[in-house]
Amino acid sequence: MADATVRLPGAAPADTYLRGDLVVKAAVAAGADAVHPGYGFLSENADFARAVLDAGLVWIGPPPEAIEAMASKTRAKELMGLAPLHEVTDADLPVLVKAAAGGGGRGMRIVRRLEDLDSALRSARAEAASAFGDGEVFVEPYLEGGRHVEVQILADTHGTVWPLGTRDCSLQRRHQKVIEEAPAPGLSEELIRELHTLAVRAARAVDYVGAGTVEFLVADGKAHFLEMNTRLQVEHPVTEAVFGIDLVAQQIRVAEGEPLEEDPPRARGHAVEARLYAEDPATDWTPQTGTLHRLTVPEGVRLDTGYEDGDPIGVHYDPMLAKIVAHAPTRPEALRKLASALERATLHGPPTNRDLLVRSLRHPEFTTARMDTGFYDRHLADLTKPTPDPHAPLAAALADAHGRSRFGAWRNVPSQPQTKRYAMAGEEHEVRYRHTRAGLEADGLRVVHADARLVVLEVDGVQRRFEVARYGDELHVNATRLTALPRFPDPTTQHAPGSLLAPMPGTVVRVAEGAVVGATVQAGEPLLWLEAMKMEHKVVAPRTGTLAALQAVPGQQVTVGLLLAVVRDT
């Protein structure tokens, strides 16, 4: 959608979007007169804001001094009369290790045992440095059972500050938001006024200008200040939908010096947003890579995405593919609208969290607004139970067989059935069908129609349609993803029991201190950490036994399925 683009050579964030000098140089080269920092990377970096201003460009954001005061979460807490923990004892547990710069859940770790604190600090520092170029972290008490509620603010250069309602972002994985909505449901009018007052106070304390978000943890009916994000939030579309405004357009107007109206517009209806990630929630939210062959959603919802059909999903950046937003007069209508749109979306490519999103939106704890930040800790196993369509493999086989039965290919005597094998939801499935004079025939089911893209089967007297798409060995039958398997497995791909294979492409960032050949390890014990898609991912021992081989070394680039280690029975 850009009128002009400037390439930043490199792939890793440290070589591209964390290089403020290159971004400013690109803006100047393109003839731009202003820079909008987006909502990641350097968007909360005061030095970058100054570099933009020093280059004679307009900075579409708050003053550098306001960024410095609030972008560091340690300084923000001090400004609000709070302070991080400097010494942690058993009495303080659980605690949260948190990156002082940036956001998005990176550089955050929950610590429930004192002996895990040092490891959490090291891991959080490394992740924060990689994502934000700043490894500073701090420790604060961790409040369990709370809701993540935030207030969108918009301030101009004339002293007006708008508190634009509330948002609830309690459904999170790895401290990253998954589903967000506006307004936050079930809050008392008194609590809403308190949240608005605190948010405006935070903005005025630093002479804030532009769009920002003040985040709170609401527990026991009280608001606990978390941080202020001096930038636009990923979830800003739900506020835009409810208030009928374009926050980015407003940011630009404020940067041009235009005043806001005295009062913000009225809120109307309810909006909910789901973040569609290329990841497998059932396997510790493992990010997925590959080609996004197709992404379409039904009309009536908003789709924000940076992907087009055929784009590769790489390992260097966030695994979020899109944000899908639904707006309706009431919360139940908005939830139903979004769940239906996700369910009917066409998603061809690597595994995604689509099924998790649909089930989350329909979960009774969420629909009745009784959720908190521990939602997925409690319900992930149930929400990720595989429910593939049992007829999908047959539909895939029949579509694949279309056109293979040519004139003269049938015989008068019954032929042996054709067989095909597919992997579906982690299991192998073998299906059988026959070519006859009447067409394709499958045991137990009547084949009403079959071609390369559409199969219609009669199941228990009901005709069901299966749309089939194939990309090499990857097949998509309606919403079910399958992989075609060879008739005879390749013996060279077999690994001995206890082999630990790379679950994703990435970089080995470190190996556990006790992970040496000959050491005894326990099932689930961390052996090494991979960095992929801007986050660290723990790789654990597949079984209890002796570490017989360790082939991973820090800095090593690995591909999916690469042998990292072998654990043998003691």
PDB file of all heavy atoms in Angstrom, residues 213-229:
ATOM      1  N   THR A 213      -1.288   4.601  25.902  1.00  0.00           N
ATOM      2  CA  THR A 213      -2.141   3.684  26.652  1.00  0.00           C
ATOM      3  C   THR A 213      -1.604   3.534  28.067  1.00  0.00           C
ATOM      4  O   THR A 213      -0.401   3.334  28.265  1.00  0.00           O
ATOM      5  CB  THR A 213      -2.176   2.293  25.981  1.00  0.00           C
ATOM      6  OG1 THR A 213      -2.674   2.429  24.654  1.00  0.00           O
ATOM      7  CG2 THR A 213      -3.085   1.353  26.747  1.00  0.00           C
ATOM      8  N   VAL A 214      -2.495   3.628  29.040  1.00  0.00           N
ATOM      9  CA  VAL A 214      -2.135   3.414  30.440  1.00  0.00           C
ATOM     10  C   VAL A 214      -2.749   2.073  30.853  1.00  0.00           C
ATOM     11  O   VAL A 214      -3.960   1.874  30.739  1.00  0.00           O
ATOM     12  CB  VAL A 214      -2.647   4.552  31.339  1.00  0.00           C
ATOM     13  CG1 VAL A 214      -2.146   4.367  32.765  1.00  0.00           C
ATOM     14  CG2 VAL A 214      -2.171   5.903  30.791  1.00  0.00           C
ATOM     15  N   GLU A 215      -1.880   1.160  31.305  1.00  0.00           N
ATOM     16  CA  GLU A 215      -2.309  -0.206  31.578  1.00  0.00           C
ATOM     17  C   GLU A 215      -2.408  -0.452  33.077  1.00  0.00           C
ATOM     18  O   GLU A 215      -1.574   0.016  33.862  1.00  0.00           O
ATOM     19  CB  GLU A 215      -1.343  -1.198  30.936  1.00  0.00           C
ATOM     20  CG  GLU A 215      -1.236  -1.051  29.430  1.00  0.00           C
ATOM     21  CD  GLU A 215      -0.515  -2.210  28.771  1.00  0.00           C
ATOM     22  OE1 GLU A 215       0.221  -2.930  29.477  1.00  0.00           O
ATOM     23  OE2 GLU A 215      -0.665  -2.392  27.547  1.00  0.00           O
ATOM     24  N   PHE A 216      -3.427  -1.248  33.445  1.00  0.00           N
ATOM     25  CA  PHE A 216      -3.681  -1.575  34.848  1.00  0.00           C
ATOM     26  C   PHE A 216      -3.974  -3.061  34.993  1.00  0.00           C
ATOM     27  O   PHE A 216      -4.430  -3.720  34.044  1.00  0.00           O
ATOM     28  CB  PHE A 216      -4.901  -0.802  35.375  1.00  0.00           C
ATOM     29  CG  PHE A 216      -4.802   0.693  35.258  1.00  0.00           C
ATOM     30  CD1 PHE A 216      -5.226   1.348  34.108  1.00  0.00           C
ATOM     31  CD2 PHE A 216      -4.283   1.451  36.302  1.00  0.00           C
ATOM     32  CE1 PHE A 216      -5.149   2.725  33.997  1.00  0.00           C
ATOM     33  CE2 PHE A 216      -4.197   2.834  36.198  1.00  0.00           C
ATOM     34  CZ  PHE A 216      -4.633   3.474  35.051  1.00  0.00           C
ATOM     35  N   LEU A 217      -3.740  -3.568  36.179  1.00  0.00           N
ATOM     36  CA  LEU A 217      -4.243  -4.876  36.569  1.00  0.00           C
ATOM     37  C   LEU A 217      -5.372  -4.627  37.556  1.00  0.00           C
ATOM     38  O   LEU A 217      -5.166  -3.981  38.592  1.00  0.00           O
ATOM     39  CB  LEU A 217      -3.142  -5.727  37.212  1.00  0.00           C
ATOM     40  CG  LEU A 217      -3.502  -7.208  37.393  1.00  0.00           C
ATOM     41  CD1 LEU A 217      -3.596  -7.895  36.042  1.00  0.00           C
ATOM     42  CD2 LEU A 217      -2.453  -7.912  38.251  1.00  0.00           C
ATOM     43  N   VAL A 218      -6.555  -5.090  37.219  1.00  0.00           N
ATOM     44  CA  VAL A 218      -7.716  -4.916  38.087  1.00  0.00           C
ATOM     45  C   VAL A 218      -7.918  -6.198  38.885  1.00  0.00           C
ATOM     46  O   VAL A 218      -8.154  -7.272  38.305  1.00  0.00           O
ATOM     47  CB  VAL A 218      -8.972  -4.574  37.269  1.00  0.00           C
ATOM     48  CG1 VAL A 218     -10.210  -4.571  38.172  1.00  0.00           C
ATOM     49  CG2 VAL A 218      -8.822  -3.212  36.603  1.00  0.00           C
ATOM     50  N   ALA A 219      -7.773  -6.108  40.197  1.00  0.00           N
ATOM     51  CA  ALA A 219      -7.939  -7.260  41.090  1.00  0.00           C
ATOM     52  C   ALA A 219      -8.692  -6.811  42.326  1.00  0.00           C
ATOM     53  O   ALA A 219      -8.422  -5.731  42.874  1.00  0.00           O
ATOM     54  CB  ALA A 219      -6.575  -7.842  41.476  1.00  0.00           C
ATOM     55  N   ASP A 220      -9.652  -7.617  42.756  1.00  0.00           N
ATOM     56  CA  ASP A 220     -10.468  -7.303  43.934  1.00  0.00           C
ATOM     57  C   ASP A 220     -11.141  -5.941  43.809  1.00  0.00           C
ATOM     58  O   ASP A 220     -11.274  -5.197  44.784  1.00  0.00           O
ATOM     59  CB  ASP A 220      -9.611  -7.349  45.206  1.00  0.00           C
ATOM     60  CG  ASP A 220      -9.011  -8.721  45.443  1.00  0.00           C
ATOM     61  OD1 ASP A 220      -9.691  -9.714  45.138  1.00  0.00           O
ATOM     62  OD2 ASP A 220      -7.862  -8.791  45.911  1.00  0.00           O
ATOM     63  N   GLY A 221     -11.521  -5.588  42.581  1.00  0.00           N
ATOM     64  CA  GLY A 221     -12.226  -4.336  42.365  1.00  0.00           C
ATOM     65  C   GLY A 221     -11.357  -3.102  42.436  1.00  0.00           C
ATOM     66  O   GLY A 221     -11.875  -1.976  42.428  1.00  0.00           O
ATOM     67  N   LYS A 222     -10.031  -3.283  42.486  1.00  0.00           N
ATOM     68  CA  LYS A 222      -9.106  -2.151  42.577  1.00  0.00           C
ATOM     69  C   LYS A 222      -8.190  -2.118  41.360  1.00  0.00           C
ATOM     70  O   LYS A 222      -7.862  -3.146  40.768  1.00  0.00           O
ATOM     71  CB  LYS A 222      -8.272  -2.243  43.858  1.00  0.00           C
ATOM     72  CG  LYS A 222      -9.094  -2.202  45.139  1.00  0.00           C
ATOM     73  CD  LYS A 222      -8.203  -2.332  46.358  1.00  0.00           C
ATOM     74  CE  LYS A 222      -9.027  -2.315  47.642  1.00  0.00           C
ATOM     75  NZ  LYS A 222      -8.168  -2.483  48.857  1.00  0.00           N
ATOM     76  N   ALA A 223      -7.755  -0.913  41.007  1.00  0.00           N
ATOM     77  CA  ALA A 223      -6.870  -0.721  39.864  1.00  0.00           C
ATOM     78  C   ALA A 223      -5.430  -0.595  40.331  1.00  0.00           C
ATOM     79  O   ALA A 223      -5.119   0.242  41.184  1.00  0.00           O
ATOM     80  CB  ALA A 223      -7.279   0.525  39.084  1.00  0.00           C
ATOM     81  N   HIS A 224      -4.537  -1.424  39.776  1.00  0.00           N
ATOM     82  CA  HIS A 224      -3.114  -1.381  40.090  1.00  0.00           C
ATOM     83  C   HIS A 224      -2.360  -0.970  38.829  1.00  0.00           C
ATOM     84  O   HIS A 224      -2.418  -1.663  37.805  1.00  0.00           O
ATOM     85  CB  HIS A 224      -2.619  -2.751  40.568  1.00  0.00           C
ATOM     86  CG  HIS A 224      -3.379  -3.288  41.754  1.00  0.00           C
ATOM     87  ND1 HIS A 224      -2.960  -3.097  43.048  1.00  0.00           N
ATOM     88  CD2 HIS A 224      -4.536  -3.991  41.819  1.00  0.00           C
ATOM     89  CE1 HIS A 224      -3.819  -3.675  43.873  1.00  0.00           C
ATOM     90  NE2 HIS A 224      -4.782  -4.224  43.147  1.00  0.00           N
ATOM     91  N   PHE A 225      -1.646   0.157  38.884  1.00  0.00           N
ATOM     92  CA  PHE A 225      -0.918   0.673  37.726  1.00  0.00           C
ATOM     93  C   PHE A 225       0.177  -0.298  37.298  1.00  0.00           C
ATOM     94  O   PHE A 225       0.955  -0.784  38.114  1.00  0.00           O
ATOM     95  CB  PHE A 225      -0.300   2.029  38.058  1.00  0.00           C
ATOM     96  CG  PHE A 225       0.598   2.578  36.981  1.00  0.00           C
ATOM     97  CD1 PHE A 225       0.058   3.181  35.864  1.00  0.00           C
ATOM     98  CD2 PHE A 225       1.983   2.484  37.096  1.00  0.00           C
ATOM     99  CE1 PHE A 225       0.892   3.702  34.875  1.00  0.00           C
ATOM    100  CE2 PHE A 225       2.813   2.993  36.117  1.00  0.00           C
ATOM    101  CZ  PHE A 225       2.259   3.606  35.000  1.00  0.00           C
ATOM    102  N   LEU A 226       0.223  -0.586  36.004  1.00  0.00           N
ATOM    103  CA  LEU A 226       1.275  -1.438  35.449  1.00  0.00           C
ATOM    104  C   LEU A 226       2.325  -0.615  34.712  1.00  0.00           C
ATOM    105  O   LEU A 226       3.504  -0.657  35.035  1.00  0.00           O
ATOM    106  CB  LEU A 226       0.675  -2.469  34.483  1.00  0.00           C
ATOM    107  CG  LEU A 226      -0.153  -3.603  35.089  1.00  0.00           C
ATOM    108  CD1 LEU A 226      -0.751  -4.456  33.983  1.00  0.00           C
ATOM    109  CD2 LEU A 226       0.717  -4.458  35.999  1.00  0.00           C
ATOM    110  N   GLU A 227       1.878   0.128  33.698  1.00  0.00           N
ATOM    111  CA  GLU A 227       2.813   0.893  32.876  1.00  0.00           C
ATOM    112  C   GLU A 227       2.042   1.804  31.945  1.00  0.00           C
ATOM    113  O   GLU A 227       0.815   1.680  31.805  1.00  0.00           O
ATOM    114  CB  GLU A 227       3.690  -0.060  32.039  1.00  0.00           C
ATOM    115  CG  GLU A 227       2.875  -0.864  31.025  1.00  0.00           C
ATOM    116  CD  GLU A 227       3.673  -1.979  30.385  1.00  0.00           C
ATOM    117  OE1 GLU A 227       4.352  -2.707  31.131  1.00  0.00           O
ATOM    118  OE2 GLU A 227       3.610  -2.109  29.154  1.00  0.00           O
ATOM    119  N   MET A 228       2.782   2.709  31.320  1.00  0.00           N
ATOM    120  CA  MET A 228       2.204   3.522  30.254  1.00  0.00           C
ATOM    121  C   MET A 228       2.972   3.249  28.975  1.00  0.00           C
ATOM    122  O   MET A 228       4.200   3.321  28.944  1.00  0.00           O
ATOM    123  CB  MET A 228       2.290   5.011  30.586  1.00  0.00           C
ATOM    124  CG  MET A 228       1.672   5.889  29.500  1.00  0.00           C
ATOM    125  SD  MET A 228       1.701   7.649  29.944  1.00  0.00           S
ATOM    126  CE  MET A 228       0.845   8.357  28.529  1.00  0.00           C
ATOM    127  N   ASN A 229       2.254   2.886  27.930  1.00  0.00           N
ATOM    128  CA  ASN A 229       2.867   2.670  26.627  1.00  0.00           C
ATOM    129  C   ASN A 229       2.771   3.967  25.831  1.00  0.00           C
ATOM    130  O   ASN A 229       1.673   4.432  25.516  1.00  0.00           O
ATOM    131  CB  ASN A 229       2.156   1.537  25.876  1.00  0.00           C
ATOM    132  CG  ASN A 229       2.461   0.193  26.492  1.00  0.00           C
ATOM    133  OD1 ASN A 229       3.617  -0.204  26.582  1.00  0.00           O
ATOM    134  ND2 ASN A 229       1.435  -0.504  26.939  1.00  0.00           N
TER     135      ASN A 229
END
